[in-house]
Amino acid sequence: MAPLRTIMTRDLVTASKQASLKEVAALMADNDIGNVLFMDADKLVGILTDRDIVVRAVAFGRDPGALAVDHATADPFTLDADTEISQAAAQMGERQIRRLPVTENGKVVGIVSLSDLSNRARGDADQQALEGISTPTL
């Protein structure tokens, strides 16, 4: 099977750690994306998804002017660009994540989404791993 580098999106959108929820939501809308990365120089310090904005901020009546990074997943799980797609699908299913930052030599070089994986799922094992991402654990 192919490595993550063959399916990852290389055009990453980052936001300042000073950006508000409203600014980040607008950035997502302007770029037609569902996540934004927060960086400290070359180090990934957080990821915020459109879903995070809804369930971690809007659902609790947070001020749209609040810092977006405060609602982000800090130190998100990443995998190397050479990781096999099937391994990534299994890890995403196990960890219940829908977007996976991809690294090379410790630097973020891309991102893989659930839809990237589902468009390329080849075998039963891949499909089962993908189904596990969207299925809540009890």
Side-chain angles (χ1 to χ4, degrees):
M1 175 149 295
L4 286 175
R5 74 174 65 257
T6 63
I7 65 167
M8 70 184 186
T9 299
R10 295 175 187 274
D11 297 328
L12 302 174
V13 177
T14 63
S16 161
K17 291 188 284 183
Q18 305 309 312
S20 70
L21 286 165
K22 182 179 179 181
E23 291 168 330
V24 170
L27 188 61
M28 288 181 190
D30 291 346
N31 288 280
D32 193 28
I33 56 173
N35 66 274
V36 170
L37 303 176
F38 294 96
M39 307 292 291
D40 186 4
D42 283 344
K43 183 180 183 318
L44 176 64
V45 295
I47 184 171
L48 185 72
T49 67
D50 47 4
R51 185 175 189 279
D52 293 334
I53 291 172
V54 172
V55 300
R56 295 182 183 174
V58 174
F60 294 99
R62 303 291 192 253
D63 179 354
L67 289 178
V69 72
D70 290 345
H71 302 281
T73 299
D75 299 318
F77 178 73
T78 64
L79 284 175
D80 188 86
D82 289 326
T83 303
E84 293 294 320
I85 293 170
S86 59
Q87 288 178 286
Q91 286 290 320
M92 289 174 77
E94 181 179 312
R95 296 170 187 274
Q96 291 290 293
I97 55 177
R98 291 180 164 97
R99 292 179 179 88
L100 174 70
V102 179
T103 61
E104 191 169 63
N105 300 319
K107 182 179 176 186
V108 179
V109 294
I111 193 154
V112 171
S113 70
L114 178 59
S115 65
D116 294 329
L117 290 177
S118 66
N119 290 336
R120 291 158 178 88
R122 298 277 187 246
D124 289 339
D126 290 346
Q127 197 60 44
Q128 287 175 341
L130 292 174
E131 288 169 4
I133 296 170
S134 296
T135 305
T137 56
L138 301 176

